[in-house]
Each structure stands twice: as structure tokens, then as C-alpha cells.
Amino acid sequence: MGEMEELRKEADNLKDQITEARKVVQDTTLQEAVAGTTLVGRVQLKTRKTLRGHLAKIYAMHWGTDTNCSKLCVSASQDGKLIVWDTLTTNKVNAIPLKSSWVMTCAYAPSGNMVACGGLDNMCSIYNLKGKDGNVKVMRELAAHTGYLSCCRFLNDSEIITSSGDCTCILWDIETGTEKTIFAGHLGDCMSLAVSPDFKMFISGACDFTAKLWDIREATCRQTFSGHESDINAIGFFPNGNAVITGSDDATCKLYDLRADQELITYQDSGIMCGVTSLAASLSGRLLLAGYDDFNVNIWDMLKAERVGVLAGHDNRVSCIGVSSDGMACCTGSWDSFLKIWN
Amino acid sequence: MSCMQSSSNTARARRAVQQLRIEASIERIKVSKASADLMHYCGEQGKYDPLLMGIPASENPFKDKKPCTIL
């Protein structure tokens, strides 16, 4: 038997082992466990603010860390601008013109000192918001990916993680502009990433229909989660860091538990037939807000897996969504060029 | 899709097996415990979740204060 044949056999055996090991701990289902839990009452959020200013489709938004006096967020549009918004006043704090208008992602550093973006230019550009003369300038251009930049998230002011259409994720040293670690393993474009609440891990969702959990410092892939029947476009952590939520073109979201190493539940409805573009959890994790291609956001009771609300207000696809870090508001961004703040 | 090509099919297959070995060897907890922990977290934190509990108008920084007219 050739080596390839042996390796194929061993791979199949290991996959069977994993399937078996997951079955062994499946002494119940989440659905059964929450049978006695009352469904969340109808959630009706209202649009409190509309952020107007972009001139083309909005592809991404990210909340800054809350401070007592402001709730800032950054948005990226294919009008070639990054806008930092004061969501309480709807004022534009910064309007940053980009070299490349084909932007697909943006991120706000936890410190509030920087923002980042990237897209079809295959690069992640870092902007310093707190420059001496008050002007916002490009600080670094992180170039190494051989495919589009789909997502980026800061760990701190000196490190950022990016995901790319080249099927890899990279941990960068912003100071030197070089790659610290390349996370390879996905067999399809990486579409989205999220960092764990303790900053030790991150998860990636890809066009190979899987989500992978990575140990940032060990530089290894710890776990792989399957089940989706199409591209995973959106991914996030449950607030306690023990579970992962994914959103896919197969019109469903799924909850995977990291310690049980398996899918716990699927959020689906026969009436929903379009892809999930974005998702965010409420502060306690009880609510899952997911944006869809049909211009709506569906609000799910995360434990009971039933729809408990809808945010209808955009005139085109909802491309991005985020809940502020104090849980006080949800922001949606759309191809209709507007961002809306809801609570 | 422009995946990075490896040096050979066997090298890629060896890496895939190595990765599967790592993933097969992890410790797993029971789904009952995983579910209980998620329910407990939601139960404990739910009361501090503004979108879940609702925000009184007076405490909502996003709500525009409308002027009142006394008739």
C-alpha cells in the first residue's frame, strides 16, 4: 500500500474516532436541557439613530471600547472611506480617505488609538487616530496575504490578526509590519474571525464550511467544527468564551460548544432561505442578532433557538452588525449606505 | 479561491493526519454540563443585559429627549 493510501486510511480512522468521541459525551441535547426554560419575550428594538454619510455600500463596522462620555464606532464603505462616528451625537469624528476603495473589513483597537481596514488590496492598513498634529495617517501597511482581506481584529496596539481569501489567518507585529504567525489549515477562503474574551484564542470561519479554533501563542489549530452546508460568513464567541456562533450562506446559524467539541443547536426557520451575513451576541449571550441577505436582522433566543424579534429598517442587505461592549446598543450597517443604532 | 499550494500531496496529507491526531486527543465534557453552564451564565448575566431587559427611557443615552408641553 502506497504512503498516500495509508495516510488516507489513517485520516479516515481519526475522523471516525472524533465522531465517536463526540457521540460518547452527547448524553443529552441543548434542546432537551432547556425544555423547562421559558422562551424570551418578544424583543422589540427601535432605531434610535441613523448614521448618514457614506455614499456607497457599507461592508463592515466595529464598536470601539465604551468610555463614560462616548460610544464610538468605525465603519468601512466602498465609497473609499473609513468613518469614525460618535453614535450618541451622530457626528463624524474622523472621515479617513482610503488608498483602495475595495474595503471589506475594519476594526477599532481596544485602546481607541487606532483603526484598521483592508479588502481587495490584500493588505491590512493601520491608521493612527491620535497623531500629534491631529491628522489621521496610515501607520503601517501589512502586506503578505496573497488573497483579499476579509476580516481583521486588534489584540492590542502592537498586534492584529487578519483573515484572508488566501485561506490563511496571520498574527502581525504592527511595529515591524511583519508576520509573527501564519495560521494555515482551512481549505477555503477565510471569511471572518473573532478573538476570545481572554485574548488567548481566536476562531475563523471559512468557505470550506468549517470553523477552526486557534491557540494564538501555541500557533496551533485546536479544534475544527463542521456541519454547515455552505460558506461560513460570520463568526463570534459566546460572551463567556466557551462557545462559538457561526452564520452561513446555508441560511442557518449554529452554536458549537468548545469543551464538548460539538454543535449544540442550529438556528433555522423554514421561512428563512437566504444567507447570514453577520452576527452578534447580546451582553449575556441570551440573544443572538443575525443579519441576513433579505435586508433583515433576526433576533434569536440563543438557548431555545426560536426567533423572538426582527429588526426591519434597511433597504438593502445588512452586511455587518455589532453590540457595544456594555450591551446598551446594537449597530447595523447595510448596503443601503446607512448605519442604524438600535435598542 | 487561491489556496497556498504545498510542496507535495503527501506532505499535505501528512499534515492533515497530524492535525487530526491533535483534534482527536482533546478532552471533552458532557453536553449536559456544557448546556448547564450556558444556561447558568445566561441566567446570571441576563439581568444586566440591556437589550434583553429593556432600557428605561430615562437611562437610555440614545433616546432623544422630546420637549414636553404642559397644556
Side-chain angles (χ1 to χ4, degrees):
Chain A
M1 204 186 316
E3 195 190 356
M4 270 308 279
E5 197 43 46
E6 277 189 34
L7 288 169
R8 211 169 287 141
K9 262 196 81 186
E10 195 180 351
D12 285 342
N13 280 338
L14 288 164
K15 284 182 194 160
D16 288 342
Q17 265 182 55
I18 293 171
T19 306
E20 258 316 296
R22 284 170 170 163
K23 273 205 199 106
V24 164
V25 296
Q26 200 182 26
D27 56 343
T28 184
T29 64
L30 178 60
Q31 200 142 19
E32 284 162 33
V34 300
T37 308
T38 317
L39 183 66
V40 164
R42 186 122 198 103
V43 176
Q44 282 170 316
L45 306 182
K46 294 201 174 78
T47 303
R48 301 296 178 190
K49 308 282 179 188
T50 299
L51 307 179
R52 293 167 222 271
H54 279 302
L55 303 171
K57 295 176 175 169
I58 290 171
Y59 274 80
M61 69 77 48
H62 194 215
W63 283 98
T65 316
D66 302 319
T67 67
N68 281 331
C69 30
S70 67
K71 280 189 158 46
L72 304 178
C73 74
V74 62
S75 61
S77 161
Q78 292 203 346
D79 62 6
K81 292 242 174 30
L82 273 192
I83 298 181
V84 177
W85 307 85
D86 177 333
T87 60
L88 292 174
T89 62
T90 74
N91 288 340
K92 300 173 191 46
V93 178
N94 301 104
I96 306 164
L98 305 174
K99 269 195 211 170
S100 162
S101 63
W102 304 112
V103 65
M104 295 173 68
T105 181
C106 62
Y108 217 130
S111 65
N113 293 332
M114 306 170 189
V115 289
C117 69
L120 294 183
D121 58 356
N122 298 1
M123 288 194 316
C124 182
S125 301
I126 314 283
Y127 293 85
N128 183 359
L129 296 177
K130 308 285 168 81
K132 267 168 267 177
D133 54 359
N135 282 337
V136 175
K137 285 196 296 248
V138 180
M139 218 184 93
R140 286 288 178 276
E141 283 174 339
L142 308 174
H145 278 300
T146 54
Y148 60 85
L149 206 83
S150 53
C151 193
C152 57
R153 285 293 179 258
F154 284 91
L155 292 183
N156 48 58
D157 280 3
S158 34
E159 293 173 306
I160 192 167
I161 302 182
T162 56
S163 61
S164 167
D166 69 11
C167 312
T168 72
C169 298
I170 295 179
L171 168 69
W172 302 84
D173 179 329
I174 297 175
E175 237 356 81
T176 60
T178 57
E179 313 94 272
K180 273 182 152 170
T181 312
I182 299 174
F183 300 90
H186 274 299
L187 301 173
D189 301 18
C190 293
M191 297 301 291
S192 186
L193 76 98
V195 180
S196 65
D198 67 5
F199 291 94
K200 291 184 180 165
M201 313 273 194
F202 77 93
I203 39 173
S204 57
C207 292
D208 60 7
F209 313 171
T210 73
K212 284 180 181 286
L213 174 73
W214 308 87
D215 184 319
I216 297 176
R217 301 306 162 191
E218 298 284 307
T220 53
C221 171
R222 291 268 205 93
Q223 290 165 262
T224 302
F225 300 98
S226 316
H228 275 297
E229 294 168 358
S230 189
D231 302 352
I232 294 176
N233 298 317
I235 200 160
F237 272 94
F238 184 85
N240 70 359
N242 286 341
V244 162
I245 318 145
T246 52
S248 165
D249 270 347
D250 68 10
T252 76
C253 294
K254 286 178 186 288
L255 178 72
Y256 296 95
D257 189 278
L258 297 182
R259 294 175 306 157
D261 185 41
Q262 58 192 272
E263 176 188 326
L264 290 190
I265 208 154
T266 298
Y267 306 92
Q268 66 191 344
D269 184 310
S270 54
I272 303 173
M273 288 170 294
C274 59
V276 177
T277 61
S278 49
L279 59 84
S282 70
L283 192 67
S284 67
R286 187 63 195 266
L287 300 177
L288 166 63
L289 298 100
Y292 292 74
D293 282 342
D294 67 357
F295 313 173
N296 289 329
V297 170
N298 287 312
I299 306 178
W300 299 84
D301 177 327
M302 219 187 292
L303 294 179
K304 304 283 284 182
E306 286 186 45
R307 262 201 294 182
V308 293
V310 174
L311 300 182
H314 283 291
D315 295 324
N316 206 323
R317 178 186 290 193
V318 172
S319 55
C320 50
I321 191 168
V323 170
S324 62
S325 53
D326 63 357
M328 282 290 276
C330 160
C331 176
T332 53
S334 167
W335 279 10
D336 69 8
S337 82
F338 302 119
L339 294 135
K340 286 180 184 289
I341 309 289
W342 312 74
N343 68 13
Chain B
M1 183 171 99
S2 53
C3 276
M4 294 216 252
Q5 298 303 314
S6 76
S7 46
S8 74
N9 283 336
T10 359
R12 206 177 323 143
R14 253 183 253 130
R15 274 198 301 273
V17 164
Q18 230 165 326
Q19 180 56 38
L20 284 167
R21 282 198 198 121
I22 294 174
E23 295 183 21
S25 68
I26 63 160
E27 296 281 316
R28 293 170 182 82
I29 67 167
K30 289 203 162 59
V31 170
S32 54
K33 166 112 176 77
S35 303
D37 286 354
L38 283 174
M39 288 160 67
H40 183 78
Y41 189 86
C42 286
E44 284 296 298
Q45 298 300 316
K47 43 186 171 306
Y48 308 116
D49 186 338
L51 296 179
L52 182 65
M53 303 302 294
I55 307 168
S58 53
E59 290 167 36
N60 189 350
F62 291 99
K63 194 162 164 50
D64 284 327
K65 310 266 182 281
K66 289 199 170 77
C68 290
T69 317
I70 302 181
L71 298 165

